[in-house]
């Protein structure tokens, strides 16, 4: 840590979306707990919505009650194209106005806020996705893949999602040695167009579907299988998401370490 910070006390606030499913929340909490962080560094796993008693303001209040003067905020979201990233930054006082209307109000916060990166196409996240792909893959040279993300219909947010998902598809193809790769968002629905492009470009290859989601839920269990239902073409899908995987904890460690080294 740099000189001149002796009077500062750092803490970590991890912010995830939240879910009504206990397993979803537990997987996030487990990843946060697995992060190897400096001894004595307070850490709070908070949620944007749904998980009552553990919302963002609860996390801020908890850390400040422990004397934290500098909060390292880890936005545990898969894409910077998420509309939630914009509203969270506004709520934390990092933006004058939200891009879109939001019900999220300004947070009560005295500590300095150190905002870190969203996952996007970080090398550690590419590693996680490759690990999730391996059980599905027999012969990458005869396989193609489609990376499937949630997406956003709003201008600007869609463009960020598109950039991230395209980059992931390219990196997975190159790293994994696959024959071809496409990217598809659920909002707006690009799944059929992506599948049709792969079938035309690489006939005879098996398609692997790669969900770019934090944890298993409605979209991975129901929406993605429904969007690809009815294809006579062979494809494989396990529904495996980023969590659980130790690479997520490693990513958290890197985000925190980058701020503490400043």
């Amino acid at each position: 840590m740099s000189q001149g910070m002796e009077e500062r006390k750092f803490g970590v606030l991890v912010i995830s979306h939240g879910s009504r499913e206990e397993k979803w929340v537990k997987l996030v909490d487990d990843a946060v707990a697995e992060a190897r962080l400096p001894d004595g560094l307070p850490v709070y796993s908070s949620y944007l919505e749904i998980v009552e008693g553990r919302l963002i303001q609860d996390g801020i209040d908890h850390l400040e009650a422990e004397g934290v003067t500098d909060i390292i905020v880890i936005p545990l979201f898969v894409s910077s194209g998420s509309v939630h990233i914009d509203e969270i930054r506004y709520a934390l006082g990092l933006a004058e106005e939200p891009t879109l209307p939001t019900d999220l109000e300004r947070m009560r916060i005295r500590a300095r806020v150190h905002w870190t990166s969203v996952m996007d196409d970080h090398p550690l996240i590419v590693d996680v996705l490759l690990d999730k792909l391996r059980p599905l893959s027999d012969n990458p040279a005869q396989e193609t893949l489609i990376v499937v993300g949630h997406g956003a219909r709003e201008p600007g947010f869609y463009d960020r999602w598109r950039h991230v998902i395209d980059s992931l598809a390219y990196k997975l193809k190159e790293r994994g040695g696959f024959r071809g790769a496409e990217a598809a968002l659920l909002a707006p629905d690009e799944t059929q167009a992506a599948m049709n492009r792969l079938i035309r470009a690489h006939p005879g290859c098996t398609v692997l579907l790669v969900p770019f989601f934090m944890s298993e839920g409605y979209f991975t269990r129901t929406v993605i299988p429904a969007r690809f239902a009815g294809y006579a073409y062979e494809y494989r899908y396990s529904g495996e998401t980023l969590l659980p995987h130790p690479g997520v904890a490693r990513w958290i460690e890197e985000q925190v370490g980058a701020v503490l080294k400043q």
Side-chain angles (χ1 to χ4, degrees):
M1 205 177 295
S2 302
Q3 291 185 350
M5 290 191 175
E6 291 79 7
E7 296 181 1
R8 293 188 181 184
K9 180 176 181 179
F10 281 80
V12 177
L13 179 67
V14 180
I15 303 176
S16 307
H17 183 275
S19 171
R20 291 180 176 82
E21 297 187 29
E22 290 184 8
K23 180 181 178 182
W24 196 103
V25 175
K26 184 178 185 304
L27 286 172
V28 170
D29 287 345
D30 288 348
V32 174
E34 289 165 10
R36 299 174 301 224
L37 301 175
D39 291 341
L41 185 69
V43 180
Y44 192 100
S45 180
S46 70
Y47 295 87
L48 171 65
E49 57 185 14
I50 302 172
V51 188
E52 291 299 326
R54 295 184 57 194
L55 301 178
I56 299 172
Q57 187 65 61
D58 297 313
I60 294 169
D61 293 343
H62 176 86
L63 292 172
E64 290 189 339
E66 291 199 21
V68 168
T69 62
D70 291 72
I71 297 178
I72 302 171
V73 175
I74 310 291
L76 198 65
F77 287 78
V78 298
S79 172
S80 52
S82 169
V83 297
H84 298 309
I85 297 300
D86 180 74
E87 63 179 347
I88 291 170
R89 287 180 55 82
Y90 162 73
L92 292 175
L94 300 176
E96 289 298 322
E97 297 290 339
T99 303
L100 301 173
T102 178
D103 293 330
L104 202 60
E105 298 179 352
R106 291 278 197 179
M107 300 291 164
R108 303 183 308 275
I109 185 166
R110 299 186 305 274
R112 302 176 191 88
V113 174
H114 303 263
W115 179 266
T116 64
S117 301
V118 182
M119 287 178 162
D120 285 342
D121 57 348
H122 189 284
L124 286 170
I125 302 308
V126 176
D127 290 342
V128 173
L129 291 174
L130 281 171
D131 282 350
K132 300 290 184 171
L133 267 173
R134 287 191 177 98
L136 296 178
S137 177
D138 295 326
N139 181 10
Q142 293 301 315
E143 295 165 347
T144 60
L145 55 87
I146 302 177
V147 183
V148 185
H150 185 282
R153 298 179 184 276
E154 295 82 0
F157 294 96
Y158 170 83
D159 296 332
R160 291 175 214 160
W161 256 109
R162 189 74 242 175
H163 173 77
V164 170
I165 209 82
D166 283 340
S167 177
L168 281 173
Y170 174 79
K171 290 179 178 180
L172 289 171
K173 173 183 174 294
E174 294 299 302
R175 289 274 308 279
F178 296 99
R179 184 79 170 272
E182 286 283 344
L185 299 175
L186 298 177
D189 186 4
E190 302 170 340
T191 53
Q192 292 189 18
M195 179 66 89
N196 289 334
R197 286 194 299 270
L198 276 185
I199 292 173
R200 288 195 302 268
H202 306 285
C205 287
T206 300
V207 178
L208 311 181
L209 301 184
V210 186
F212 184 44
F213 285 78
M214 185 67 64
S215 189
E216 177 186 337
Y218 172 70
F219 286 98
T220 59
R221 287 195 300 260
T222 303
V223 177
I224 292 176
R227 296 283 174 89
F228 288 97
Y231 277 97
Y233 201 74
E234 181 183 2
Y235 68 88
R236 299 174 188 166
Y237 175 66
S238 68
E240 285 280 329
T241 54
L242 292 175
L243 291 174
H245 191 284
V248 175
R250 303 293 85 76
W251 176 83
I252 293 172
E253 294 166 9
E254 185 169 306
Q255 304 310 303
V256 173
V259 174
L260 294 179
K261 290 176 183 175
Q262 291 176 1

